[in-house]
Amino acid sequence: MNDEQLLRYSRHILLDDIGIDGQQRWLDAHALVIGAGGLGSPVALYLGTAGVGRITLIDHDRVDLTNLQRQIVHSLDRLDQPKAVSAAAGIAAINPEPRVRPLIARADAALLDELVPQADVVLDCSDNFQTRHLVNAACVRHGKPLVSGAALGFDAQLSVYDSRGGRFPCYACVFPADQPPPEQRCAVMGVLAPLVGIIGSMQAAEALKLLAGMGSALPGRLLMLDGRRMEWTDLQVMRDPHCACCGAPVPLPPSTPAPTPASTPPSPSTAQ
Ligand SMILES: [Zn+2]
């Protein structure tokens, strides 16, 4: 690290849990961010300001005036630009150091199979159930931790899905792909702008902790925020041994008590 980096990152380096080693891990790390919208905005900004060395941003969409109410990485002078490109510019305006790769694309299975193995952590900031499952499946296949957030209206949720070691659930254990929610998008439903800021900031925090080697306390927990009452619900979520995505290929022996999945799966928010 040079003198400018020591200065720029000093308030992180001062933290005992991070220090020079943690900062160096961020400088050497690669984060993959799916979606550069409401959740992706604070994620991109905080990963960028923290100095995460490589950030790959995927978004197929362009910046629209209706986005600027909450998608704070974009700006009025970047209207109509691809969101991934605009977000890269937003990071560079604060910290030009990270190598940001903007990809103007939809996150399909083939692209994810190319990108997820290269990443140290994946952040799902997408806005639909199908993409969430594609991202989750790629993270399970390639053994990468997934920091997942969602927000719609006044409600939001957050978790970390880390199926490595077979201890914790993946996204599909909690929200089975064959039980899709009614498609709800903030284009129709609306979303309270700071809610995506709250959840996106928490996603960035969890990703930074994972990258710094501090781990995350969120695997196996689903945090749900009622933004009207400002109340958090902290649900324990279990791995489903029969999960179509991460389930064991062979049945558990009868003597082994199987963990029970959440009996009433919470409803996934799908918008951002
Ligand atoms: Zn699973």
Side-chain angles (χ1 to χ4, degrees), residues 228-263:
R228 282 192 181 83
R229 300 171 60 84
M230 237 6 130
E231 279 182 0
W232 289 95
T233 304
D234 190 339
L235 287 181
Q236 189 184 8
V237 285
M238 312 290 267
R239 183 167 174 266
D240 176 1
H242 306 295
C243 172
C245 187
C246 74
V250 286
L252 294 170
S255 57
T256 309
T260 12
S263 52

Side-chain angles (χ1 to χ4, degrees), residues 136 140 169-174 239-240 243-247:
N136 175 66
V140 170
C170 78
Y171 180 78
C173 292
V174 184
R239 183 167 174 266
D240 176 1
C243 172
C245 187
C246 74

Side-chain angles (χ1 to χ4, degrees), residues 3-262:
D3 286 351
E4 190 183 320
Q5 288 174 317
L6 290 170
L7 204 57
R8 177 184 280 275
Y9 304 123
S10 58
R11 298 310 189 266
H12 270 147
I13 293 170
L14 281 169
L15 297 173
D16 288 342
D17 290 317
I18 297 170
I20 294 273
D21 287 350
Q23 183 61 52
Q24 191 60 52
R25 285 185 187 215
W26 290 338
L27 295 174
D28 296 338
H30 183 188
L32 173 62
V33 182
I34 317 295
L39 298 168
S41 286
V43 161
L45 288 171
Y46 277 123
L47 297 187
T49 57
V52 172
R54 291 172 65 200
I55 302 171
T56 300
L57 295 167
I58 309 179
D59 201 301
H60 70 279
D61 210 356
R62 288 177 178 271
V63 180
D64 179 270
L65 188 59
T66 62
N67 301 147
L68 297 184
Q69 161 251 22
R70 67 198 177 284
Q71 301 187 12
I72 56 173
V73 77
H74 307 303
S75 61
L76 197 57
D77 62 349
R78 294 200 292 272
L79 277 182
D80 295 325
Q81 278 192 18
K83 285 188 183 178
V85 174
S86 168
I91 295 172
I94 301 176
N95 187 358
E97 286 201 340
R99 283 188 289 151
V100 183
R101 182 186 179 199
L103 289 175
I104 308 160
R106 284 185 190 274
D108 62 17
L111 182 61
L112 290 167
D113 272 339
E114 179 197 330
L115 297 175
V116 169
Q118 303 171 25
D120 300 303
V121 68
V122 179
L123 296 102
D124 185 355
C125 306
S126 70
D127 65 353
N128 67 85
F129 196 60
Q130 187 190 9
T131 302
R132 290 181 189 286
H133 275 286
L134 288 174
V135 173
N136 175 66
C139 288
V140 170
R141 271 199 299 281
H142 300 290
K144 302 292 180 178
L146 169 62
V147 184
S148 178
L152 183 70
F154 286 85
D155 297 310
Q157 49 191 240
L158 172 78
S159 190
V160 171
Y161 299 101
D162 192 347
S163 61
R164 296 173 297 181
R167 214 176 128 206
F168 297 115
C170 78
Y171 180 78
C173 292
V174 184
F175 303 110
D178 59 2
Q179 297 170 32
E183 197 64 27
Q184 296 172 322
R185 287 172 175 270
C186 58
V188 184
M189 302 284 291
V191 60
L192 181 69
L195 214 55
V196 290
I198 293 168
I199 299 297
S201 300
M202 292 176 77
Q203 285 183 267
E206 292 308 301
L208 290 174
K209 284 159 57 186
L210 284 162
L211 291 174
M214 295 170 59
S216 167
L218 285 188
R221 290 165 63 198
L222 177 66
L223 297 185
M224 305 180 75
L225 175 60
D226 174 346
R228 282 192 181 83
R229 300 171 60 84
M230 237 6 130
E231 279 182 0
W232 289 95
T233 304
D234 190 339
L235 287 181
Q236 189 184 8
V237 285
M238 312 290 267
R239 183 167 174 266
D240 176 1
H242 306 295
C243 172
C245 187
C246 74
V250 286
L252 294 170
S255 57
T256 309
T260 12

